[in-house]
Amino acid sequence: MTPIHEPLSEEAAARLVQVAALSKSSFVIRGGGTRSLHVTPEGTDVLSARGLNGIVAYNPAEMTMTARAGTPLETVEAALAEKRQMLAFEPNDLRGALGTSGIPTIGGVFATNASGPRRFVAGAARDSLLGVRFVNGKGEVVKAGGRVMKNVTGLDLAKLLAGSHGSLALLTEVTFRLLPVPETAATIVISNLNDAEAAAAMATALSMSVEVSGAAHLPESVRGRFAGGALPEGPATVLRLEGLAASVAVRAEKLGAAMARFGAVSQLDAETTRRLWREIRDAAPYADGTPRPLWRVSVAPIAGQQLVAALRLETGVDAFYDWQGGLVWLRMESDPEAALLRRYVKAVGGGHATLLRVRPEVLAATETVQPQSDAVAALSARVKASFDPAGLFKSTMVG
């Protein structure tokens, strides 16, 4: 059985790493374990951040919070809800799609750069990160950044750790900025567009001065699995508007009128809007209890539908699109087809394809993350050597 170490303080975590460095052992870092795909390598211990729990500081007036890395995400969001504030980047919850259990942690959110539908207007998780405390591979406690938005010292260092999947250091504390919760929200739905037409409609909507905060396309294969079947018949192209009620009403009318040239237009109320975008965020249609390979592919917005169209000529796939088409949730019907997928990702201009779910017996033979170019790999190796010279921290997809 894999040993699990769960230090209750930053100092205890540092001592564990110091001992590991002397004994030349290694760790997989884990938060809630909700985003894990890989099996922990034999001879590698788990270093869990769950014991580093609690909100350290919350300043609603400055719209900042500091929390220990193992603090459950739901604890953070509950505290923010009392002050009608939120994490702007909408961190997703992929437990349903990945078939994992556990409780997502705020450290895991930043370690995986977990970002939802609002990313293309509000930025990714790393863009909300103001400061961090962490234990590096030498067992040193390091602080980067500050607790107020004006202090940007070390911000680039914090951004390096965001999305590093526990491969560089153990996050022990994170400081991040917040935004007010919008008073209301609405979704404009354009029905019966094919993927290419939807891409054009979303591009038009994003060029307008109506402040669209979500743009997704849900083909007919998945449309009925959203919002309890509340969407109209046919493929649905959905555009979210948020803000003050009077403003949303005016912008919705303007956007609906502009979209009418693409197809039939309807509108969803605030409650249905919240449910719909939560399900888009969490890849809900693929929370189907199966091990069929699930990919998360990031490409240029116009390239998403081109990628899927090319793949459909050669293999069985199901897909829907977020981020104006630039994020493709892609489920393969049988094998992962990693080589085929990455060949087409390159053909449409490049991007990133990450395998999130696959049968265990296929995992070892599949390259799950996007291969780096030689130049990027060399830079990554230098960064790794700076943070973790002995290679104590083994990379895995964690949360």
Side-chain angles (χ1 to χ4, degrees), residues 37-38 295 336 338-339 342 353-355 362-372:
L37 173 64
H38 300 286
W295 292 90
R342 292 201 167 103
T354 303
L355 183 61
V362 179
L363 179 59
T366 305
E367 197 162 22
T368 59
V369 295
Q370 188 72 26
Q372 295 178 328

Side-chain angles (χ1 to χ4, degrees), residues 209-235:
S209 57
V210 293
E211 299 177 36
V212 172
S213 68
H217 178 61
L218 316 175
E220 180 61 16
S221 61
V222 299
R223 187 265 313 161
R225 286 174 256 165
F226 284 101
L231 292 170
E233 292 294 323

Side-chain angles (χ1 to χ4, degrees), residues 10-148:
E10 189 176 68
E11 294 75 17
R15 286 195 298 271
L16 276 170
V17 174
Q18 290 164 6
V19 170
L22 290 173
S23 63
K24 301 189 186 308
S25 55
S26 58
F27 289 117
V28 165
I29 294 174
R30 183 175 296 166
T34 63
R35 302 171 196 274
S36 297
L37 173 64
H38 300 286
V39 176
T40 302
E42 187 175 347
T44 301
D45 292 2
V46 170
L47 180 57
S48 172
R50 287 184 301 179
L52 307 173
N53 191 343
I55 294 172
V56 176
Y58 178 25
N59 188 334
E62 292 283 346
M63 291 193 292
T64 62
M65 177 181 282
T66 299
R68 296 185 180 93
T71 307
L73 178 60
E74 61 189 24
T75 299
V76 170
E77 292 184 326
L80 297 181
E82 290 183 4
K83 300 296 184 181
R84 289 198 54 79
Q85 293 184 342
M86 67 179 186
L87 297 165
F89 54 89
E90 294 181 277
N92 51 25
D93 182 352
L94 298 178
R95 285 176 290 182
L98 272 60
T100 55
S101 57
I103 304 297
T105 63
I106 190 64
V109 164
F110 286 108
T112 58
N113 197 33
S115 311
R118 204 180 285 112
R119 176 176 178 168
F120 69 92
V121 290
R126 64 165 52 93
D127 298 304
S128 290
L129 192 59
L130 300 175
V132 294
R133 291 177 66 93
F134 60 91
V135 176
N136 67 14
K138 299 176 184 178
E140 299 169 333
V141 176
V142 182
K143 177 185 176 183
R147 288 187 181 173
V148 294

Side-chain angles (χ1 to χ4, degrees), residues 163-334:
S164 64
H165 293 269
S167 65
L168 299 178
L170 170 68
L171 282 174
T172 58
E173 185 179 283
V174 288
T175 299
F176 44 94
R177 65 181 175 88
L178 311 164
L179 283 181
V181 173
E183 181 179 283
T184 193
T187 298
I188 296 297
V189 183
I190 309 102
S191 297
N192 294 311
L193 304 186
N194 62 35
D195 292 5
E197 292 167 339
M202 289 188 289
T204 299
L206 267 293
S207 71
M208 297 175 61
S209 57
V210 293
E211 299 177 36
V212 172
S213 68
H217 178 61
L218 316 175
E220 180 61 16
S221 61
V222 299
R223 187 265 313 161
R225 286 174 256 165
F226 284 101
L231 292 170
E233 292 294 323
T237 307
V238 291
L239 304 167
R240 181 175 60 183
L241 301 171
E242 298 175 298
L244 298 173
S247 171
V248 169
V250 171
R251 287 184 284 134
E253 183 177 358
K254 180 179 179 180
L255 180 60
M259 293 297 103
R261 70 183 178 90
F262 291 98
V265 172
S266 56
Q267 184 172 328
L268 304 179
D269 62 23
E271 182 177 351
T272 307
T273 289
R274 282 189 288 271
R275 176 177 179 178
L276 171 67
W277 289 95
R278 185 169 59 248
E279 292 170 345
I280 291 171
R281 178 197 73 183
D282 297 342
Y286 302 136
D288 52 13
T290 77
R292 282 183 286 185
L294 179 64
W295 292 90
R296 181 182 182 275
V297 185
S298 177
V299 291
I302 198 65
Q305 55 87 20
Q306 296 172 350
L307 171 69
V308 174
L311 286 169
R312 282 179 172 151
L313 295 175
E314 298 200 40
T315 190
V317 302
D318 192 30
F320 73 92
Y321 310 86
D322 197 2
W323 299 355
Q324 195 198 330
L327 176 62
V328 185
W329 293 101
L330 185 70
R331 189 189 66 191
M332 299 294 192
E333 295 306 315
S334 54

